[in-house]
């Protein structure tokens, strides 16, 4: 086994790990950084989107060198009773562009792909042998665990399941701005039991390119690829896009947290002296599952720390995660209302009512920065769910996000992604 010494090693090359590596490189170019990713590329096969108001000036600067698509005129939502255009600028970035940006920014040899971390500890990472490389020990002053979310019996909730398809059309689609939530579609769940809230997400990536994603909130993490793919076909046909050629796909199963014992969860995943960031560390929006805002904030925060030694950094992120959990309790309450108080076929009314509120409130909601007035306003007025059920939901945190069911879904997802078309580099054209 070979051995090397660096200042910081980051395990997991997703959004959180990649942004932390980038922020550290910019703040301390003399640092020796290693970014370890088990897959073939940084960022996997994904598309991240966010509102411009989600980020601070520092956050925007961190993302400035990545190729993005911008819609300065805002976006649209569609519900059975109305359509609304909102003026908040919207951004999107594809994983191939994220990969290229990270590879361009980090020094040669800083990124290690196709290597799985066999074990992590406060002093470094052991890499498993690969087809071309022997087992290797990377010693480091600090280790950051940015691997994917770990299902746990200590966390409660449901799931957000999605399948997206990038299509290139023969004729222009004539869409001017994103439709981030089209809930005029059939609200039946993928398995026909009426147990979810469903919407379609549409991004105009270019004059002839459109991204269509079918998303639903469900009580289980099962991703029925055939059902979702068929529904994307139906949606495309209804909008005159049947002549499209698939360019790329993405799929995902994300947790929607409604409660749990976060201290016990931290104990379960903790590795002494190892900092934990990303979704694994609990850094997500409990209801929307958005990660961009908090991933950027964490990357900026770590770059400002004067001492990156393992114990201090681990304690820093441990505290930051507890603060994030406390800060986002209100959104877990709303998630409980959605899953446990609203009748499945009426869950669309929750969002239909929400999107009639002021734009500033909606912006702060997605960035998890709702003011006290915002929180009251969301619940004020004619309730979209029965009062007695809402009271029950307040004290009900929901089923555990058990590993067995989630691991099955993850295995199915990984198998699907292996057969999908790799999104082309011109996705954002």
């Amino acid at each position: 086994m070979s051995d090397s010494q660096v200042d910081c090693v980051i395990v997991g090359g997703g959004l959180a790990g990649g942004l932390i590596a980038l922020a550290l490189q910019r703040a301390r170019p003399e640092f020796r950084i290693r970014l370890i990713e088990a897959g073939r590329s940084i960022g996997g096969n994904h598309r991240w989107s966010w509102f411009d108001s989600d980020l601070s000036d520092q956050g925007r600067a961190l993302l400035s060198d990545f190729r993005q698509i911008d819609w300065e005129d805002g976006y649209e939502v569609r519900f059975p009773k109305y359509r609304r255009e909102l003026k908040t600028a919207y951004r999107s970035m594809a994983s191939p562009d994220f990969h290229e940006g990270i590879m361009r920014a980090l020094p040669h040899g800083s990124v290690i792909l196709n290597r799985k971390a066999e074990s992590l500890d406060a002093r470094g990472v052991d890499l498993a042998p690969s087809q071309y490389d022997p087992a290797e020990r990377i010693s480091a002053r600090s280790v950051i665990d940015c691997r994917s979310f770990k299902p746990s019996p200590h966390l409660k909730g449901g799931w957000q399941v999605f399948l997206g398809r990038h299509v290139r059309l023969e004729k222009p689609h004539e869409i001017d701005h994103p439709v981030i939530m089209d809930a005029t579609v059939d609200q039946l769940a993928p398995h026909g039991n009426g147990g979810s809230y469903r919407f379609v997400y549409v991004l105009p990536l270019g004059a002839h390119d459109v991204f269509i994603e079918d998303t639903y909130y469900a009580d289980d993490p099962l991703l029925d690829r055939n059902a979702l793919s068929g529904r994307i076909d139906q949606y495309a046909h209804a909008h005159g896009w049947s002549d499209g050629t698939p360019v790329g796909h993405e799929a995902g199963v994300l947790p929607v947290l409604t409660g749990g014992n976060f201290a016990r969860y931290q104990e379960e995943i903790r590795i002494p002296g190892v900092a934990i960031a990303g979704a694994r560390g609990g850094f997500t929006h409990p209801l929307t599952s958005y990660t961009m805002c908090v991933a950027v904030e964490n990357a900026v925060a770590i770059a400002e720390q004067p001492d990156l030694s393992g114990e201090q950094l681990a304690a820093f992120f441990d505290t930051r995660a507890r603060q994030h959990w406390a800060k986002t309790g209100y959104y877990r309450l709303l998630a409980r209302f959605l899953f446990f108080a609203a009748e499945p076929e009426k869950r669309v009314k929750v969002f239909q009512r929400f999107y009639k509120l002021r734009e500033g409130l909606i912006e702060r909601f997605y960035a998890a920065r709702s003011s006290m007035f915002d929180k009251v306003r969301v619940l004020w007025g004619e309730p979209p769910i029965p009062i007695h059920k809402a009271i029950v939901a307040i004290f009900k945190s929901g089923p555990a996000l058990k590993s067995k069911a989630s691991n099955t879904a993850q295995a199915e997802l990984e198998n699907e992604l292996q057969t999908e078309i790799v999104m082309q580099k011109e996705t954002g054209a």
Side-chain angles (χ1 to χ4, degrees):
M1 175 184 290
S2 61
D3 194 339
S4 58
Q5 173 74 45
V6 299
D7 292 291
C8 180
V9 59
I10 302 163
V11 181
L15 182 66
L19 290 179
I20 288 174
L22 175 62
L24 287 176
Q25 171 61 29
R26 288 184 177 179
R28 296 175 174 84
E30 75 280 4
F31 263 43
R32 295 164 297 171
I33 301 170
R34 293 294 180 272
L35 178 59
I36 312 298
E37 168 55 40
R40 294 172 293 183
S41 63
I42 299 300
N45 181 32
H46 193 60
R47 173 171 286 280
W48 298 278
S49 300
W50 65 97
F51 301 101
D52 182 66
S53 56
D54 289 347
L55 305 182
S56 64
D57 290 341
Q58 288 176 297
R60 295 186 189 95
L62 184 65
L63 297 179
S64 61
D65 289 341
F66 293 109
R67 186 181 184 187
Q68 305 168 25
I69 304 178
D70 304 320
W71 295 276
E72 297 295 342
D73 294 333
Y75 63 97
E76 180 182 351
V77 293
R78 300 175 181 175
F79 292 97
K81 289 190 174 181
Y82 68 87
R83 293 186 178 188
R84 183 183 182 187
E85 293 184 6
L86 297 98
K87 299 302 182 183
T88 308
Y90 199 62
R91 321 288 188 207
S92 188
M93 174 175 63
S95 52
D97 296 319
F98 184 63
H99 171 86
E100 287 190 2
I102 293 296
M103 298 299 291
R104 183 172 59 246
L106 298 185
H108 178 73
S110 298
V111 179
I112 301 176
L113 301 173
N114 293 308
R115 296 295 300 274
K116 183 176 180 180
E118 205 162 47
S119 64
L120 289 69
D121 58 63
R123 295 181 177 83
V125 178
D126 292 314
L127 299 182
S130 68
Q131 181 179 357
Y132 303 105
D133 301 288
E136 181 181 358
R137 169 73 176 181
I138 300 180
S139 300
R141 289 182 61 237
S142 60
V143 178
I144 306 176
D145 187 353
C146 289
R147 290 175 294 178
S148 58
F149 172 77
K150 178 178 171 57
S152 167
H154 301 304
L155 297 180
K156 313 292 184 180
W159 302 91
Q160 184 186 114
V161 183
F162 62 89
L163 177 71
R165 182 189 302 165
H166 174 191
V167 180
R168 184 157 295 146
L169 306 172
E170 293 183 6
K171 298 179 180 179
H173 50 66
E174 299 182 346
I175 301 177
D176 296 326
H177 45 247
V179 180
I180 71 166
M181 192 170 285
D182 185 348
T184 63
V185 295
D186 186 353
Q187 289 298 304
L188 290 179
H191 304 291
N193 59 16
S196 70
Y197 166 61
R198 173 181 172 238
F199 63 92
V200 175
Y201 172 73
V202 182
L203 295 179
L205 302 179
H208 292 263
D209 287 56
V210 63
F211 181 79
I212 310 169
E213 185 172 277
D214 197 285
T215 302
Y216 61 92
Y217 285 83
D219 298 325
D220 62 61
L222 299 178
L223 185 142
D224 188 336
R225 178 184 174 84
N226 290 332
L228 270 71
S229 183
R231 290 183 176 180
I232 291 176
D233 289 339
Q234 293 174 6
Y235 192 88
H237 177 74
H239 289 77
W241 302 333
S242 297
D243 63 349
T245 301
V247 175
H249 296 77
E250 70 167 67
V253 179
L254 303 175
V256 179
L257 299 178
T258 58
N261 189 326
F262 191 65
R264 293 289 299 275
Y265 173 70
Q266 284 189 304
E267 291 175 6
E268 177 188 358
I269 65 172
R270 182 177 290 118
I271 301 173
V274 175
I276 305 177
R280 191 181 191 89
F283 294 104
T284 65
H285 192 301
L287 180 55
T288 66
S289 300
Y290 280 17
T291 57
M292 176 61 79
C293 179
V294 68
V296 169
E297 289 177 351
N298 279 340
V300 170
I302 190 175
E304 294 174 346
Q305 295 305 302
D307 190 345
L308 290 175
S309 61
E311 294 292 339
Q312 291 90 342
L313 190 61
F316 172 78
F317 266 100
D318 192 72
T319 300
R320 194 171 176 86
R322 291 197 303 271
Q323 292 172 342
H324 180 75
W325 179 266
K327 171 186 173 183
T328 54
Y330 171 75
Y331 307 101
R332 290 192 296 277
L333 172 64
L334 295 183
R336 292 200 292 276
F337 287 168
L338 179 67
F339 278 95
F340 313 127
E343 296 292 338
E345 68 276 10
K346 297 179 180 179
R347 289 174 179 174
V348 63
K349 293 184 178 180
V350 175
F351 291 90
Q352 184 170 257
R353 178 178 179 273
F354 171 76
Y355 270 102
K356 282 188 175 181
L357 301 176
R358 294 182 177 181
E359 288 192 40
L361 182 151
I362 295 171
E363 291 178 4
R364 292 187 291 274
F365 181 91
Y366 274 96
R369 292 194 291 263
S370 298
S371 67
M372 183 58 67
F373 176 82
D374 291 342
K375 295 176 181 180
V376 173
R377 184 64 189 88
V378 168
L379 301 174
W380 186 21
E382 181 182 354
I385 55 180
I387 293 296
H388 68 282
K389 289 189 175 183
I391 294 173
V392 171
I394 290 174
F395 301 101
K396 182 178 181 181
S397 58
L401 298 178
K402 296 180 180 179
S403 299
K404 183 177 181 180
S406 299
N407 286 340
T408 299
Q410 184 66 25
E412 293 175 355
L413 179 59
E414 290 175 355
N415 182 60
E416 291 166 357
L417 293 179
Q418 289 176 0
T419 63
E420 286 182 349
I421 303 171
V422 177
M423 187 176 291
Q424 297 181 2
K425 294 181 180 180
E426 64 268 20
T427 294

